[in-house]
């Protein structure tokens, strides 16, 4: 039994094949170009390394409604050449194996829930903070879908009074999480890449404040047992204790069951492969549901 995985990102496509124990046998990374350039190479990879099922964790937005005519499509993505592209149907047509598609962050949430930082728990949220911000929600053993799928990068925050760019930098919304706290927002606000900012730069106190707002919102809405923060920005490990402290301050003692969030707000255990391993788990589910 072999499972295939595609972690479809805005800059690169990571492909892998694993055995039934999820041991990765081979993998390849390709730049994300146009579908006409990228899809034949990805299909060729899986024809060279045949699989029994394929799981896809992709950038979005995605149509994940099985009743929809465009089920399995990438929809109105900023990656314009991929707009309204039938990603899963094209793989099904080419490979003739069961396929399952979900968001890249839902795939990462699935990985962390089944094998990583939230193993043994029924509920968790995985948030990636990098070029953009997205979240996957795992609730009572299931990945959350609905009208579409969670789009946490675009829920609205209360900008802090001392923020030099309180409206943020999202082209769609003023004061949304992604526009205020994603990597490009940090760079635009301070004029230098986040990687070049010293640990004591005021950027990090502001970043911790916005991510703590997000964590409080998570606790008050979906009530996760773990909030897992991944992505490039969270490579700044000094952010975690700052987020913990600010989350406790913003909670104001309201949640009596939460006396310390240091074991509740954590880094991913499977990073940087959470999304890829999660995609393998999607392939496993696709075969089980066949």
């Amino acid at each position: 039994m072999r499972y295939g995985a595609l972690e479809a990102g805005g800059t690169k496509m990571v492909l892998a094949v694993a055995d039934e124990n999820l041991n990765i046998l081979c993998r390849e990374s390709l730049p994300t170009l146009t579908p006409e350039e990228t899809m034949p190479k990805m299909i060729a990879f899986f024809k060279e390394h045949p699989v029994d099922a394929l799981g896809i964790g992709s950038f979005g937005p995605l149509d994940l409604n099985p009743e929809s005519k465009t089920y399995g499509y990438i929809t109105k993505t900023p990656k314009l050449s991929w707009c309204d592209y039938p990603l899963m149907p094209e793989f099904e047509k080419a490979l003739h194996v069961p396929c399952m598609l979900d968001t890249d962050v839902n795939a990462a949430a699935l990985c962390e829930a089944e094998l990583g930082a939230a193993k043994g728990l029924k509920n968790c949220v995985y948030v990636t903070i990098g070029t953009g911000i997205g979240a996957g929600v795992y609730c009572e053993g299931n990945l959350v879908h609905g009208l579409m799928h969670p789009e946490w990068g675009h829920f609205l925050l209360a900008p802090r009074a001392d923020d030099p760019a309180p409206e943020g930098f999202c082209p769609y919304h003023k004061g949304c999480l992604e526009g205020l706290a994603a990597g490009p927002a940090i760079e635009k606000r301070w004029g230098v890449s986040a990687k070049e900012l010293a640990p004591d730069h005021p950027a990090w106190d502001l970043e911790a404040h916005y991510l703590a707002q997000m964590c409080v919102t998570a606790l008050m809405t979906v009530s996760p047992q773990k909030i897992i923060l991944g992505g490039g920005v969270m490579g700044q490990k000094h952010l975690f204790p700052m987020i913990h402290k600010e989350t406790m301050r913003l909670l104001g003692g309201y949640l009596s069951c939460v006396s310390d969030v240091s074991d509740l707000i954590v880094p991913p255990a499977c990073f940087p492969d959470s999304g890829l391993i999660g995609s393998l788990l999607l392939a496993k589910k696709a075969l089980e549901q066949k």
Side-chain angles (χ1 to χ4, degrees):
M1 191 67 63
R2 290 194 172 193
Y3 301 124
L6 165 61
E7 185 179 14
T11 58
K12 65 179 179 179
M13 301 285 192
V14 182
L15 307 99
V17 173
D19 64 19
E20 64 273 12
N21 297 315
L22 303 185
N23 298 307
I24 294 178
L25 305 173
C26 58
R27 64 192 292 168
E28 185 171 333
S29 181
L30 301 169
T32 303
L33 304 175
T34 66
E36 292 74 21
E37 295 169 287
T38 310
M39 284 297 295
K41 295 177 181 178
M42 294 195 292
I43 289 168
F45 173 84
F46 288 116
K47 287 192 172 181
E48 183 180 350
H49 308 283
V51 296
D52 297 287
L54 176 65
I56 306 167
S58 177
F59 66 89
L62 305 172
D63 186 342
L64 300 178
N65 178 6
E67 306 302 319
S68 170
K69 292 186 296 184
T70 55
Y71 174 52
Y73 281 49
I74 298 173
T75 61
K76 299 301 181 185
T77 175
K79 296 286 291 184
L80 296 180
S81 65
W82 292 85
C83 275
D84 302 314
Y85 186 77
L87 183 62
M88 188 173 74
E90 285 296 311
F91 277 111
E92 289 175 326
K93 183 171 66 176
L95 302 179
H96 306 290
V97 298
C99 296
M100 185 174 287
L101 171 72
D102 214 316
T103 64
D104 47 2
V105 280
N106 259 355
L110 179 63
C111 170
E112 294 294 333
E114 296 202 2
L115 302 171
K119 185 177 180 181
L121 303 178
K122 291 184 178 181
N123 304 280
C124 72
V125 172
Y126 179 97
V127 187
T128 184
I129 303 106
T131 304
I133 295 181
V137 180
Y138 182 89
C139 183
E140 299 300 311
N142 295 298
L143 294 170
V144 171
H145 301 148
L147 178 66
M148 189 172 66
H149 47 73
E151 280 286 351
W152 281 33
H154 296 278
F155 67 59
L156 304 181
L157 301 181
R160 203 165 75 176
D162 63 344
D163 188 344
E167 293 186 353
F169 301 93
C170 176
Y172 297 99
H173 316 109
K174 293 180 180 180
C176 74
L177 176 60
E178 183 170 291
L180 289 169
I186 298 172
E187 183 170 351
K188 289 176 182 177
R189 181 185 287 111
W190 303 105
V192 61
S193 169
K195 296 178 182 178
E196 300 175 34
L197 294 171
D200 61 351
H201 192 282
W204 299 119
D205 183 68
L206 185 63
E207 181 74 2
H209 173 72
Y210 288 139
L211 295 180
Q213 278 196 55
M214 180 269 296
C215 290
V216 170
T217 300
L219 291 168
M220 299 299 185
T221 53
V222 297
S223 198
Q225 295 164 290
K226 289 284 183 185
I227 300 173
I228 303 159
L229 304 182
V233 170
M234 296 312 302
Q236 306 285 337
K237 298 301 182 185
H238 61 275
L239 261 178
F240 277 96
M242 298 171 73
I243 295 166
H244 295 156
K245 181 178 178 180
E246 183 66 357
T247 299
M248 291 302 297
R249 187 188 73 81
L250 293 175
L251 283 172
Y254 181 73
L255 295 180
S256 59
C257 59
V258 178
S259 58
D260 179 14
V261 294
S262 59
D263 288 331
L264 194 155
I265 302 169
V266 298
C270 300
F271 185 82
D273 286 332
S274 303
L276 189 66
I277 296 169
S279 297
L280 290 169
L281 290 170
L282 290 175
K284 184 179 179 183
K285 288 179 180 293
L287 198 59
E288 289 169 352
Q289 292 178 13
K290 182 181 176 183

